[in-house]
Amino acid sequence: MPAAEIKTARRVAVTGLAAISPLGLDAAATFAALMDGRSGIGPITLFDAGKFSSKIAGEVRGFDPEQWMEARDVKKVDRFLHFAMAAAKQAIDDSRLDLEAEDRERIGVVIGSGIGGLSLLEAQHKILLERGPGRISPFFIPGMIINMASGMVAIAHGLKGPNCATVTACATGNHAIGEALRLIQHGDADVVVAGGAEAVITPLAVGGFCALRALSTRNDEPERSSRPFDKNRDGFVMGEGAGLVVVEELERAKARGAHIYCELAGFGMSGDAYHMTAPCEDGDGMVRVMRAALRDAGMQPEEIDYVNAHGTSTPTGDVIEARAVRRAFGAAADRLYVSSTKSMTGHLLGAAGGLEAVVTALALESGKIPPTANLDEIDPEIADPEKGIGLAAERFVPNKGIEVPLRAAMSNSFGFGGTNATIILRRLD
């Protein structure tokens, strides 16, 4: 049976936003920096990266976890949990939910991470080797496992509805938001806090991605290192942070007078079934996930005005995503705007989808599309119609944000293992 025939009538609104990013410690600051074209990428300071081929990242700066958690708990858990706790408080506050008056058994939490508590794992492994097993922290396991983001947020706010975590590499945040959509559509919850958190700018993670030769080595000009769709891109730049949304059954949100940023209108998933790290060259999995999201939303390609691209700045991935956009949208791609905000934040891995959902929601509400920074000369393979894509450089919003009325927008996330997730947000007028 087609998906459209089994969907329920329950529609879902986005009523709360939160971001902890390399560009700011809340959603408004992050979006303002994006529109200004500022980069959050700089030299790595969280550890000595002198021996690594890539020495740059999008670090979250000026963040004090004790503003969001009890000081006694901060040292027990990993940095990605600090980000999740801070973002959850921001998102709930932004939604203006009165939790004291709510049935908290109807409020769920779905927060994922691509890797989870790697810095805590590295630290505790060092203790094991140097001081023996008797000195391992009793909080090591609960302080690093990925589902603890959802668990700790639920504990902090007394949220007793559905609770789970997604772990799908760089598609994690979108899968979490899509799961939240389904929970509300199917009546399992009325409100869900959803998104992703990540903090793996650590020696082992950076070393691992360096070994894959996936990272930019433009160490001398970090702010120009992430350059999605540009001819001279040389890899992605790691970032960290969190992006969370509060999603809520639409009629309920209207009834309580909530501020509604937009509707969460559609969600698609697909699998490449192709390669551990590379997407299909013809973009097959990406095409299918975008079409699945459109089908779920009951929309046509012509109704989408903007795509927040996965756009990581890797030589292979960007061309394949552009090819997939052309295939999924056909002639409608010629009037579509596409930008990659990873050009300024770096790639937040499991938190990327969450952050980019927040950015996309604010773009829809404000009618402002953040640019693709460092797009000086578009890859000729993307622009050349003879090679089958033929997307003009100006459609990628190069280097300067624009203001344009937006009806609906799509946000793509694609992960290692060929796991793909796309969401569609739509204005409510």
Side-chain angles (χ1 to χ4, degrees):
M1 180 180 292
E5 295 181 23
I6 61 174
K7 279 185 66 173
T8 72
R10 285 165 65 94
R11 296 169 66 188
V12 176
V14 177
T15 57
L17 302 177
I20 306 291
S21 86
L23 289 170
L25 302 182
D26 59 46
T30 296
F31 190 73
L34 288 169
M35 287 305 302
D36 287 345
R38 281 183 266 155
S39 173
I41 297 167
I44 291 175
T45 63
L46 290 168
F47 66 94
D48 181 1
K51 295 182 179 178
F52 294 74
S53 58
S54 181
K55 312 176 199 306
I56 52 179
E59 296 180 351
V60 172
R61 301 177 184 87
F63 177 76
D64 178 5
E66 293 187 13
Q67 290 185 0
W68 307 97
M69 301 173 62
E70 294 290 338
R72 65 176 183 273
D73 294 330
V74 166
K75 292 182 180 178
K76 297 176 183 174
V77 303
D78 189 88
R79 183 173 168 89
F80 89 101
L81 293 174
H82 302 164
F83 292 155
M85 291 290 282
K89 180 68 166 58
Q90 286 185 15
I92 292 169
D93 287 350
D94 189 50
S95 73
R96 296 186 174 87
L97 282 166
D98 179 3
L99 293 181
E100 294 301 319
E102 294 285 347
D103 177 359
R104 301 191 208 192
E105 294 186 12
R106 300 292 300 168
I107 304 177
V109 186
V110 185
I111 302 173
S113 184
I115 299 175
L118 190 60
S119 63
L120 193 59
L121 187 152
E122 290 180 30
Q124 291 298 311
H125 186 245
K126 187 171 186 288
I127 288 173
L128 169 67
L129 296 180
E130 294 180 351
R131 302 168 66 186
R135 303 305 297 269
I136 294 173
S137 167
F139 300 105
F140 165 46
I141 298 299
M144 67 158 285
I145 55 178
I146 287 174
N147 70 296
M148 200 54 69
S150 289
M152 288 185 63
V153 166
I155 293 166
H157 300 282
L159 308 180
K160 298 182 179 180
N163 190 293
C164 66
T166 53
V167 185
T168 52
C170 306
T172 293
N174 266 5
H175 276 123
I177 294 169
E179 177 65 18
L181 174 69
R182 297 283 193 263
L183 287 171
I184 295 174
Q185 285 178 332
H186 288 265
D188 295 314
D190 296 324
V191 180
V192 182
V193 181
E198 197 82 87
V200 288
I201 302 175
T202 74
L204 195 55
V206 174
F209 283 116
C210 284
L212 276 172
R213 299 186 178 182
L215 299 181
S216 171
T217 57
R218 201 182 294 263
N219 297 309
D220 294 335
E221 44 180 10
E223 71 282 357
R224 293 179 55 77
S225 57
S226 181
R227 36 197 323 116
F229 308 111
D230 185 82
K231 176 183 176 184
N232 295 311
R233 66 195 182 280
D234 71 333
F236 78 84
V237 180
M238 290 177 65
E240 63 174 358
L244 299 184
V245 297
V246 170
V247 292
E248 182 172 356
E249 196 274 325
L250 176 60
E251 296 305 320
R252 181 189 186 285
K254 288 179 177 177
R256 73 176 180 90
H259 174 75
I260 297 174
Y261 288 95
C262 55
E263 180 182 5
L264 176 56
F267 170 52
M269 295 187 285
S270 75
D272 282 1
Y274 177 73
H275 189 273
M276 288 177 67
T277 58
C280 306
E281 291 186 6
D282 64 358
D284 171 65
M286 299 178 186
V287 173
R288 286 186 288 106
V289 75
M290 286 186 269
R291 287 176 176 168
L294 286 165
R295 188 167 58 246
D296 189 52
M299 298 177 71
Q300 298 300 313
E302 293 78 10
E303 298 176 82
I304 303 293
D305 296 313
Y306 168 56
V307 174
N308 187 293
H310 187 60
T312 59
S313 183
T314 58
T316 301
D318 290 0
V319 170
I320 294 176
E321 184 174 7
R323 183 175 297 127
V325 167
R326 168 58 82 188
R327 288 185 57 198
F329 284 82
D334 291 325
R335 53 159 297 280
L336 192 66
Y337 289 104
V338 180
S339 74
S340 171
T341 44
K342 291 185 180 73
S343 57
M344 293 166 277
T345 64
H347 188 355
L348 273 61
L349 308 179
L355 178 62
E356 289 155 15
V358 170
V359 170
T360 304
L362 290 172
L364 264 181
E365 183 179 62
S366 65
K368 296 178 179 179
I369 299 178
T372 303
N374 304 315
L375 181 49
D376 299 328
E377 182 178 0
I378 196 164
D379 187 322
E381 190 166 352
I382 294 173
D384 187 352
E386 297 295 322
K387 295 184 178 179
I389 301 178
L391 292 175
E394 58 266 26
R395 306 315 298 184
F396 290 86
V397 198
N399 299 317
K400 185 176 181 180
I402 60 174
E403 294 192 34
V404 59
L406 298 174
R407 300 166 297 168
M410 172 182 285
S411 182
N412 286 334
S413 292
F414 312 129
F416 279 176
T419 178
N420 309 308
T422 290
I423 61 170
I424 291 176
L425 302 175
R426 178 167 56 200
R427 281 184 62 92
L428 277 176
D429 292 318

